[in-house]
């Protein structure tokens, strides 16, 4: 059975969705595509081992640590293409950024930049699958479902200079 829980974070409430096996969703309460594809009103509040591990990971992350890879199985329920994009996102090191074009190139589909952008924007596991580390061609902060202010805050937490990031804020 799936459960949801809401937890506070320095950037606003987060809602997590999981069961005894995996984590399926992690969203800021007011972000675009919040709970997309799920009727969260029908999912009870509760706790599972994967949800508790996710809370521990988030606590370390927001304490400014680069959390070690964890054994929590992330299970985004997305199309095959989006799953491939999200897999690339999991490989972006803490504190680094990549462009949408670099992701499209890595997938062997250099003309799929917009499709990559759609996949990044609909990431159901914010922060843990680090879509905030994706930027435009010239380093522009082109978007973030949780809001550009949060993207700047997350990148700053990971060691980026907030003044430099603000210059790239469109």
């Amino acid at each position: 059975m799936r459960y949801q829980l809401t937890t506070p974070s320095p950037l606003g409430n987060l809602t997590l969705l999981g069961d005894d096996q995996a984590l399926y969703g992690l969203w800021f309460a007011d972000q675009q595509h919040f709970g997309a594809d799920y009727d969260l009103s029908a999912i009870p509040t509760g706790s599972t081992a994967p949800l508790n591990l996710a809370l521990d990971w988030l606590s370390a992350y927001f304490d400014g640590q680069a959390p070690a890879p964890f054994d929590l199985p992330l299970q985004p329920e997305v199309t095959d293409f989006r799953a491939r994009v999200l897999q690339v996102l999991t490989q972006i090191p803490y504190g680094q950024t990549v462009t949408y074009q670099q992701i499209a190139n890595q997938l062997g589909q250099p003309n799929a930049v917009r499709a990559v952008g759609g996949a990044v924007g609909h990431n159901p596991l914010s922060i843990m699958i680090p879509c905030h580390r994706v930027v435009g061609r010239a380093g522009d902060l082109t978007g973030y479902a949780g809001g550009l202010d949060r993207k700047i805050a997350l990148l700053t937490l990971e060691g980026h200079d907030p003044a430099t990031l603000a210059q790239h804020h469109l």
Side-chain angles (χ1 to χ4, degrees):
M1 177 171 217
R2 292 188 182 181
Y3 294 96
Q4 65 173 307
L5 65 83
T6 300
T7 187
S9 84
L11 301 178
N13 285 344
L14 295 167
T15 297
L16 294 86
L17 176 67
D19 62 16
D20 288 333
Q21 304 300 311
L23 186 66
Y24 300 95
L26 170 58
W27 304 276
F28 287 102
D30 59 352
Q31 82 173 52
Q32 294 175 358
H33 317 299
F34 174 82
D37 301 323
Y38 299 102
D39 179 7
L40 293 178
S41 67
I43 298 174
T45 300
S47 185
T48 65
L51 288 171
N52 289 331
L53 286 172
L55 291 175
D56 291 343
W57 189 94
L58 288 166
S59 178
Y61 179 83
F62 283 117
D63 281 345
Q65 301 171 29
F70 52 97
D71 294 328
L72 176 64
L74 302 178
Q75 200 66 25
E77 296 177 312
V78 296
T79 66
D80 289 342
F81 178 79
R82 287 185 177 178
R84 290 177 51 218
V85 171
L86 297 181
Q87 179 58 37
V88 171
L89 297 183
T90 65
Q91 298 167 18
I92 305 170
Y94 182 92
Q96 295 185 25
T97 59
V98 301
T99 66
Y100 296 96
Q101 185 66 63
Q102 288 172 311
I103 294 170
N105 292 347
Q106 187 170 342
L107 294 171
Q109 296 182 266
N111 295 324
V113 175
R114 286 183 186 230
V116 166
V120 171
H122 286 83
N123 172 16
L125 286 155
S126 295
I127 306 171
M128 289 186 175
I129 296 181
C131 52
H132 60 279
R133 296 180 189 153
V134 182
V135 297
R137 184 177 332 159
D140 297 332
L141 302 180
T142 56
Y144 183 62
L148 286 176
D149 289 342
R150 285 189 179 124
K151 183 172 190 163
I152 290 170
L154 293 169
L155 291 172
T156 299
L157 179 70
E158 294 184 12
H160 290 265
D161 176 26
T164 301
L165 293 171
Q167 293 172 358
H168 290 286
H169 188 293
L170 295 177

